[in-house]
């Protein structure tokens, strides 16, 4: 049987995909790299997946008749979850949350990366020496074509093999040169293959991208959990482990190196690239991750006065670091700004171009340490706020990372709540974005008050199902997310009073950091012209709810953008561009680090920011 | 008992030594670094040790009455070997061979070495970081004092230890920096101790000098036989071994590395220096020695078109090369001029300054390969002549190296021969300089003719003892050096006809090389204004005899100087001076290499030069 795939065109981005007939439109969009939001798991209830079908009329389902207004229906608006495509279709993405797809490439400050690397691969047809041309091999190589500009360092193993290798290949070969030293040599012309790696080394997650260094294209992406997590979820526990456990530092370095090597193996497999063809690597991590990666003690970052061993970019041979790419490939870390604002934030700034912007921009990377950048090309400040792990699911009763089984979105309707669970399986817990949604909804219905207290309000307007979800106890109340699903206590999915406190501490720290930076810069929050949100939250964060709980300042919605994995993009830019490298040096000298613990006003501001408005 | 030492003043050099009364004058001179020649082992017979005693009259011995002419005696001339000093004495060295002491320091082209090294040791008292001065350790180091001029590369192990080390030492420490990277760090102020090594890596002998890199002074010298000799006396056999034996190259590299490490151990012991305090090393060897030292195959130097892997100076970390000094110390080879004119000759030129001279200078390094340099600052040529090992005692029936038991000088008087044996022991063999003396004397008495044939001439004027020393056989005759000493055949010390042929081949090759270079430069031999003789021969060579056999061109004697171990001096200069390093790059590009095997006239000239005049 011959089933013809059907074409689906997505507007306004003009993306087209070919899918088998019967494919759900949300799935088809996903294949086109477009993330259509959905909360009700395709039941046609939440109304989040609205799209406009153009140039064609298709019938409405009964769910659509209920959820969509007559006006919407007259415009050809449908719920994507209700459409299983059968013929060619043009669909306009109109959902408000379409802006939550990774916006980096369209963000006006993030220029296209010009490939301008340190790395060169040159194919040489060298002169064959003769009795009347007794040129030595080393000079022959150095004077050939572009190498003659400056002396190239020839590493000992290369020099040792050079005479035999050149003669075996009739003085025709390809040399890979990194700035001023030979990395590698191949028989024949291999100039078409030049690969590099950009790593985002997160405290929680490691993401590696294999990059074609000729085109700048990402060939493959692979990720894994940072195995150091076993020795502590946050950076401070890792520092503690590294400095107090015998062999702790070596273990942490070895673990992360092995994880990176695993990712590299996967990237190579995905792309049919040999690890010896990878000639360079860049890595953006926070300052402590960078220290642990290099096997440098981070001890003095954790003690007052919080001094890192290095801020500038460090560059060593892969071999020295145990990274399984070409042994002489250079591995560089993005420079750190301070002990708690690391290379990942330098990458964020580099990728977003905040430091070159006329507009006052606020950059937030929410994590256990929330890094905040505020300013413009006039002046740029940054700080690190100890937000705690709540937004990564840590220290939350049923908290978990944004992985299969995690509730990552939720909306309370009058008659029922809608949850979105990653992987479309039974909910096992709740991750950061889900938690923000829940707290925002609890605030909306008055079940959490301005001080953060969780309790049923006097108001009679609380829907029945919500009222039933509040579990009252003598001391503290809890909110049961899934009251009807299961009655056993063990499988209850509760948000406790303590969880609310953790959220308050987290959002309070970040809001206080933003507040202090505004004070330091002499502006009000409303002067902020752009807000860029980076980090694992990515496009899953509901901006309204983040504002509602006070994590994000209350500025007009159109000023807020999600910038996805900014550290990865920064690492990629650093890898591909000499100019970008120089720029990072400027960035770390330009950005002013504000040590919050030194501010006498911090505690007051923090206490204020812990409240809900 | 209190015996007062007596003062001996040597003129014209104004050197004074203090010796116990009764010391022989030759011994006293030796203590002053003056080498008074002597052939008859102090018997007052050879007349080689003439000196002039000034401002004082001392009685003549009966030997002096015979050996010295009345005129000489009236001038106060004595035989040094006959004087055992008892009171203060002023002695003028007049022996013609006084010029044979190492002349480098007084040779007008060899300027004093200005210490101007890549290596710097700096004691830093760095700022202690604080909460209001959160400078990272790497920047703290880089911005301290002289380091701020450019970015210094901090090797990974240094970076890894930096935070703990700095705090343990209250941010006060000494850093050793080689050009643009940190070699070492010490607690406290160790700026007074900075050591380097200069090696002359000869095919036969390895000589190492430990040098105080602050003053430029040589602290100790140590030498050993090159253990590679076991795999062949000349470079060609070593190339053969390296390329045809499995693991041959590695063995040769390992052997020479171990020998060098042995010398280093001895130098450290002599001078109470720890090997980790040696931060740099230079090495001057011929091209093949340089290749083997670095583990680079020399195969293609030995095959036409004789291409070395490298000419330029190569620089690697001691650790990479297995040299036991500071692991990060840089080890540099002096650049090679061609496959058969190596870094030792570059060192010779550098040390003697031929390339900067107005005078046409001929430099000869006599060895298995005799390297010849001819020219001035206008134009400088060089070539390598395959002299064979005769002058190093090789391929000679009773030949041996210039070590204990070797006859190194000889003179035939009418009544008897005088021999000088190294170490004042029974003669075991004859070394190069002794061989030259013997051949010269045989020529003088007509026992060797112009074609090199060894036979008793018809002339009746041959002294009886000489006549008895010629052992006639059917085919070839031999000359018995010690006819009276022992009658057993086994202990005979013969110079055979074949030995004479070896000498002819050796001196013929060198003379032919000189001849070709003169032709190429368009000069006659008499235009040569200076002759510098380098190499192991050193001061032991009798210039008259070397001219007599045709090894050295017949120019006025005062144009000839011995320059001792020029390669060592070159290596030292290279080690101590950045300017000298740059100069060697100029030298290897300035010197024109003449490939003798390419010259159609070579065989004719060679055949002619094999004859004795």
């Amino acid at each position: 049987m011959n089933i013809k795939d059907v074409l689906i065109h997505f507007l306004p981005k003009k993306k087209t995909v070919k899918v088998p007939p019967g494919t759900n439109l949300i799935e088809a969009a996903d294949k086109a790299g477009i993330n259509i939001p959905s909360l009700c798991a395709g039941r046609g209830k939440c109304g989040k997946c609205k799209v406009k079908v153009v140039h064609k009329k298709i019938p409405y389902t009964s769910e659509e008749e209920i959820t969509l207004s007559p006006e919407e229906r007259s415009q050809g608006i449908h719920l994507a979850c209700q459409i299983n495509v059968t013929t060619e279709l043009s669909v306009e993405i109109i959902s408000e949350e379409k802006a939550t797809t990774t916006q980096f490439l369209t963000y006006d400050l993030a220029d296209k990366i010009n490939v301008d690397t340190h790395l060169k691969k040159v194919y040489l047809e060298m002169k064959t020496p003769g009795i009347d041309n007794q040129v030595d091999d080393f000079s022959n190589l150095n004077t050939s074509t572009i190498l003659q500009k400056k002396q190239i360092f020839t590493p000992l193993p290369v020099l040792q093999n050079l005479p035999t290798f050149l003669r075996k290949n009739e003085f025709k070969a390809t040399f890979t040169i990194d700035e001023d030293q030979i990395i590698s040599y191949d028989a024949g012309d291999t100039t078409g293959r030049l690969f590099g790696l950009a790593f985002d080394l997160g405290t929680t997650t490691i993401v590696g991208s294999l990059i074609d260094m000729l085109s700048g294209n990402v060939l493959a992406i692979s990720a894994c959990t940072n195995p150091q997590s076993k020795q502590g979820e946050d950076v401070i526990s890792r520092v503690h482990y590294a400095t107090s456990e015998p062999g702790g530092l070596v273990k942490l370095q070895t673990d992360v190196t092995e994880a990176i090597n695993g990712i590299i193996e996967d990237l190579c497999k995905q792309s049919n690239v040999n690890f010896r063809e990878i000639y360079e690597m860049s890595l953006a991590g926070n300052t402590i991750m960078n220290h642990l990666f290099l096997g440098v003690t981070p001890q003095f970052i954790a003690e007052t006065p919080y001094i890192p061993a290095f801020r500038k970019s460090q560059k060593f041979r892969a071999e020295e670091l145990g990274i399984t790419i070409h042994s002489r490939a250079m591995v560089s870390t993005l420079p750190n700004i301070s002990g708690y604002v690391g290379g990942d934030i330098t990458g964020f700034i580099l990728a977003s171009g905040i430091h070159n912007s006329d507009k006052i921009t606020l950059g937030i990377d929410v994590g256990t340490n929330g890094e905040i950048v505020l300013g413009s090309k006039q002046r740029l400040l940054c700080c690190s706020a100890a937000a705690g792990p709540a937004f990564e699911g840590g220290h939350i009763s049923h908290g978990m990372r944004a992985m299969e089984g995690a509730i990552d979105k939720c909306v309370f309707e009058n008659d029922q709540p809608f949850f979105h669970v990653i992987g479309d399986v039974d909910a096992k817990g709740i991750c950061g974005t889900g938690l923000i949604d829940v707290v925002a909804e609890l605030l909306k219905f008055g079940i959490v008050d301005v001080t953060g207290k969780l309790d049923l309000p006097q108001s009679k307007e609380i829907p029945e199902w919500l009222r039933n979800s509040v579990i009252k106890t003598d001391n503290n109340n809890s909110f049961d997310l899934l009251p009807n699903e299961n009655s056993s206590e063990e499988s209850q999915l509760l948000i406790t009073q303590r969880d609310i406190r953790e959220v308050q501490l987290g959002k309070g720290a970040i809001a206080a950091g933003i507040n202090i930076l505004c004070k330091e810069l002499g502006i009000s929050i409303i002067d902020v012209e752009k807000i860029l949100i980076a980090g694992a939250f990515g496009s899953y964060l509901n901006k309204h709810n983040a504002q509602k709980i006070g994590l994000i300042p209350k500025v007009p919605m159109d000023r807020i953008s999600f910038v996805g994995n900014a550290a990865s993009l920064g690492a990629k830019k650093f890898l591909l561009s000499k100019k970008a490298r120089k720029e990072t040096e400027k960035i770390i000298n330009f950005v002013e680090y504000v040590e919050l613990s030194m501010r006498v006003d911090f505690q007051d501001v923090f206490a204020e920011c812990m409240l809900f408005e």
Side-chain angles (χ1 to χ4, degrees), chain A:
Chain A
M1 208 167 71
N2 226 340
I3 297 174
K4 261 197 169 170
D5 285 352
V6 293
L7 291 173
I8 315 292
H9 312 283
F10 291 99
L11 305 173
K13 290 193 183 172
K14 296 186 181 170
K15 286 197 178 171
T16 295
V17 288
K18 227 178 193 176
V19 294
T23 302
N24 185 273
L25 191 57
I26 291 183
E27 206 178 303
D30 189 55
K31 203 174 167 191
I34 297 166
N35 184 21
I36 298 182
S38 167
L39 283 175
C40 62
R43 287 176 290 166
K45 300 258 183 196
C46 71
K48 289 285 170 189
C49 62
K50 289 172 195 165
V51 294
K52 187 174 178 179
V53 175
V54 293
H55 310 311
K56 201 163 213 166
K57 285 200 171 179
I58 52 172
Y60 283 93
T61 64
S62 54
E63 281 75 15
E64 285 178 310
E65 303 274 359
I66 297 165
T67 309
L68 295 171
S69 68
E71 202 194 343
E72 286 172 325
R73 278 179 276 144
S74 72
Q75 289 168 16
I77 289 173
H78 280 261
L79 295 177
C81 68
Q82 298 298 305
I83 302 175
N84 293 325
V85 294
T86 50
T87 57
E88 186 166 349
L89 214 58
S90 289
V91 175
E92 192 179 333
I93 305 293
I94 50 151
S95 164
E96 184 197 293
E97 294 205 26
K98 70 178 175 184
T100 62
T101 49
T102 302
Q103 288 215 326
F104 236 106
L105 298 179
T106 57
Y107 180 54
D108 60 2
L109 295 175
D111 49 359
K112 174 143 175 42
I113 299 173
N114 289 313
V115 176
D116 156 38
T117 73
H118 282 270
L119 212 58
K120 298 265 174 288
K121 211 171 188 183
V122 284
Y123 173 64
L124 301 180
E125 297 197 350
M126 292 157 63
K127 284 179 230 155
T128 303
I131 195 78
D132 50 354
N133 169 34
Q134 290 178 314
V135 56
D136 60 288
D137 299 336
F138 178 90
S139 301
N140 201 347
L141 175 57
N142 266 274
T143 54
S144 293
T145 65
I146 66 149
L147 304 193
Q148 67 195 333
K149 281 175 201 164
K150 54 178 173 178
Q151 177 138 349
I152 303 294
F153 175 67
T154 308
L156 187 57
V158 178
L159 186 70
Q160 287 172 334
N161 289 327
L162 196 62
T164 309
F165 170 76
L166 288 180
R167 282 159 187 82
K168 198 172 155 192
N169 294 287
E170 295 173 322
F171 289 87
K172 290 169 194 157
T174 303
F175 288 86
T176 307
I177 296 144
D178 181 7
E179 206 164 359
D180 51 5
Q181 71 167 312
I182 295 173
I183 299 287
S184 177
Y185 52 92
D186 308 303
D189 183 351
T190 66
T191 48
R193 294 178 71 81
L194 189 73
F195 304 105
L197 290 170
F199 267 89
D200 165 23
L201 175 54
T203 310
T204 304
T205 309
I206 307 174
V207 184
S209 312
L210 178 67
I211 290 162
D212 177 340
M213 294 193 65
L214 298 170
S215 67
N217 292 336
V218 175
L219 302 177
I221 294 178
S222 182
C224 72
T225 298
N226 188 332
Q228 295 174 339
S229 304
K230 294 193 292 287
Q231 278 76 42
E233 294 220 328
D234 56 65
V235 290
I236 294 303
S237 353
R238 306 232 186 127
V239 174
H240 183 75
Y241 185 87
T243 54
S244 63
E245 290 289 323
L249 177 58
V250 171
K251 172 151 182 60
L252 291 179
Q253 188 190 17
T254 309
D255 283 355
V256 78
T257 304
E258 280 174 13
I260 287 171
N261 287 340
I263 288 177
I264 293 169
E265 204 182 324
D266 182 44
L267 292 171
C268 287
K269 211 176 284 172
Q270 282 186 49
S271 314
N272 209 16
V273 164
N274 187 293
F275 72 90
R276 283 191 199 83
E277 296 178 292
I278 302 174
Y279 304 108
E280 194 154 20
M281 170 171 153
S282 68
L283 181 137
N286 66 49
T287 310
I288 287 168
M289 287 303 110
N290 281 339
H291 277 59
L292 295 176
F293 173 69
L294 297 179
V296 179
T297 181
Q299 181 181 353
F300 307 103
I301 307 175
E303 299 171 1
T304 173
Y306 318 119
I307 304 300
F310 57 91
R311 292 172 66 234
K312 282 198 176 179
S313 174
Q314 302 292 326
K315 188 174 170 182
F316 299 107
R317 280 182 296 113
E319 194 179 39
E320 286 181 276
L321 294 168
I323 298 296
T324 51
I325 54 178
H326 194 291
S327 61
R328 280 185 294 276
M330 299 307 291
V331 178
S332 305
T333 58
L334 269 73
N336 304 310
I337 293 167
S338 75
Y340 289 100
V341 181
D344 49 349
I345 302 305
T346 308
F348 178 7
I349 296 171
L350 175 69
S352 62
I354 299 179
H355 61 300
N356 288 326
S357 172
D358 289 319
K359 294 183 179 169
I360 294 178
T361 306
L362 171 66
I364 311 173
D365 189 348
V366 180
T368 306
N369 276 291
E371 291 101 344
I372 302 155
V373 182
L374 178 69
S376 64
K377 69 176 182 188
Q378 302 301 327
R379 190 177 175 207
L380 196 55
L381 306 179
C382 75
C383 69
S384 172
F391 299 122
E392 294 173 277
H395 293 191
I396 299 297
S397 315
H398 292 86
M400 66 184 287
R401 288 191 193 140
M403 53 204 295
E404 197 178 82
I407 294 172
D408 67 341
K409 294 185 185 199
C410 119
V411 59
F412 293 177
E413 297 293 339
N414 273 325
D415 55 341
Q416 62 176 309
F418 291 108
F419 296 106
H420 180 261
V421 180
I422 299 175
D424 209 8
V425 294
D426 281 347
K428 291 180 201 156
I430 189 160
C431 70
T433 51
L435 187 62
I436 289 168
D437 286 354
V438 169
V439 174
E441 296 291 28
L442 293 176
L443 281 166
K444 192 171 78 182
F445 285 93
I447 294 168
V448 167
D449 72 7
V450 67
T451 67
K453 187 155 178 56
L454 196 158
D455 203 354
L456 270 182
Q458 297 307 316
S459 147
K460 301 276 179 186
E461 284 163 36
I462 306 290
E464 187 64 16
W465 72 266
L466 251 176
R467 199 171 283 278
N468 295 339
S469 300
V470 177
I471 300 170
K472 302 197 77 165
T473 57
D474 281 350
N475 292 316
N476 289 311
N477 303 325
S478 294
F479 182 80
D480 189 355
L481 282 177
L482 311 166
N484 304 318
E485 310 256 328
N486 204 313
S487 52
S488 89
E489 239 180 70
E490 222 168 69
S491 64
Q492 270 186 331
L493 227 160
L494 299 183
I495 304 294
T496 65
Q497 178 65 62
R498 223 189 113 184
D499 296 342
I500 306 291
R501 297 293 178 218
E502 288 289 335
V503 170
Q504 282 182 282
L505 286 169
K507 73 103 185 181
I510 287 172
I514 294 170
N515 202 306
I516 297 274
L517 291 193
C518 282
K519 277 173 88 171
E520 183 64 34
L521 201 64
I523 62 163
S524 301
I525 194 68
I526 203 65
D527 298 327
V528 173
E529 292 163 277
K530 280 258 171 202
I531 296 184
L532 304 178
I533 300 175
F537 272 173
S539 50
Y540 307 103
L541 183 67
N542 181 309
K543 293 191 280 186
H544 288 282
N545 289 341
Q547 280 192 329
K548 176 92 189 158
I549 70 159
L551 176 64
I552 300 179
K554 290 188 178 55
V555 299
M557 205 54 63
D558 61 4
R559 296 189 192 171
I560 304 172
S561 306
F562 294 108
V563 292
N565 188 338
S568 266
L569 190 60
K572 182 183 161 195
K573 200 166 178 179
F574 188 88
L575 179 78
L576 287 170
S577 161
K578 281 189 281 188
K579 197 169 148 260
R581 289 195 188 200
K582 280 190 193 150
E583 223 171 317
T584 60
E585 293 298 326
K586 277 190 222 154
I587 288 170
I588 67 161
N589 291 322
F590 174 59
V591 177
E592 298 168 44
Y593 174 68
V594 177
E595 176 64 55
L596 293 182
S597 68
M598 277 289 283
R599 299 280 304 206
V600 287
D601 52 353
F602 181 74
Q603 289 305 330
D604 282 350
V605 174
F606 180 44
E608 206 173 286
C609 288
M610 291 226 320
L611 298 177
F612 294 114
E613 275 181 35

